[in-house]
Amino acid sequence: MDDYEELIGANIRRLREASGLSQAALAKLMNERGWTKWSQPTVAAIEKGERSLKFAEAMTLVNTEIFDVPRVEELLRVPRVDIWWATMANLATSVDAVKGAVRDFWSAQLRAARASDELLAAGEEIPEPDEMWLAGCDIAEIIAELDIRLGWELSRGIHETALIEGPLRPHLRSDLGKRQDGTPADSAE
């Protein structure tokens, strides 16, 4: 059994039902057009994808107006709702990947903060932010861009806890928790 056979079978079932035909009625119409071996079990097997539809049979279904479709390619059309569901599944997978990547980034920032704390506790100096690769990684700006592009807040509770209230120190990201105008994010409007 082939995916195309299943798709064709599903489309034949959809078109048959839309035409108000039973499987037996469709078999009878095909018999009247010269396909004498068509029966109700034949239609059932085609609709399940268990039997291939011959091209000439497909042309008979379309060209003799048994089905109200303009071309035989219609039998290969993926229903729009199936495309929508596949797109939604892909979107969900992508959202999960973004969330995971952001959590990994926040975890790395927390580990960097702990390492900085250990340096300070040992009496060593922390490199200046402009000397660190992390200085160019503004996670708040990345999150804001995602919020704008996707129209929703990405794990906002985790963001606030891990980046603003967590063990991140001002020497790592002095601009965290501030708006673009420099005011604190939690200040009253």
Side-chain angles (χ1 to χ4, degrees):
M1 182 168 43
D2 188 318
D3 287 341
Y4 287 116
E5 290 170 352
E6 287 181 9
L7 177 61
I8 290 168
N11 281 328
I12 287 176
R13 180 179 55 252
R14 177 180 53 81
L15 292 167
R16 176 184 58 76
E17 289 172 352
S19 299
L21 297 171
S22 66
Q23 290 178 340
L26 176 57
K28 182 178 181 208
L29 287 171
M30 288 297 283
N31 275 254
E32 292 170 0
R33 285 159 178 83
W35 297 99
T36 58
K37 293 189 179 184
W38 270 56
S39 63
Q40 182 276 323
T42 304
V43 175
I46 290 171
E47 289 181 357
K48 291 178 189 173
E50 296 171 350
R51 179 194 179 274
S52 296
L53 181 69
K54 296 176 186 173
F55 184 74
E57 293 170 328
M59 293 302 291
T60 300
L61 289 169
V62 173
N63 289 339
T64 60
E65 299 177 4
I66 291 175
F67 295 142
D68 185 26
V69 293
R71 301 180 318 211
V72 73
E73 290 86 0
E74 187 70 17
L75 298 178
L76 290 171
R77 185 177 67 83
V78 176
R80 286 181 194 88
V81 70
D82 290 352
I83 294 169
W84 185 87
W85 279 112
T87 303
M88 291 299 105
N90 183 270
L91 178 62
T93 300
S94 298
V95 167
D96 288 343
V98 169
K99 286 179 180 180
V102 170
R103 281 189 202 106
D104 290 347
F105 183 80
W106 289 331
S107 293
Q109 278 193 320
L110 291 173
R111 288 190 303 275
R114 287 185 189 112
S116 296
D117 288 343
E118 289 176 14
L119 276 174
L120 289 174
E124 298 180 35
E125 290 187 26
I126 302 289
E128 291 297 318
D130 60 340
E131 297 174 13
M132 299 172 57
W133 72 270
L134 193 57
C137 298
D138 187 348
I139 190 66
E141 188 176 302
I142 293 168
I143 295 297
E145 184 176 334
L146 285 173
D147 285 345
I148 290 167
R149 288 183 183 217
L150 300 176
W152 53 275
E153 293 185 4
L154 179 66
S155 303
R156 180 129 180 103
I158 295 173
H159 175 255
E160 290 172 353
T161 302
L163 296 180
I164 297 169
E165 300 166 8
L168 287 179
R169 302 295 181 247
H171 58 266
L172 270 181
R173 293 297 308 157
S174 60
D175 60 344
L176 289 176
K178 293 183 181 176
R179 294 189 178 106
Q180 287 184 352
D181 66 1
T183 62
D186 57 352
S187 68
E189 295 288 327

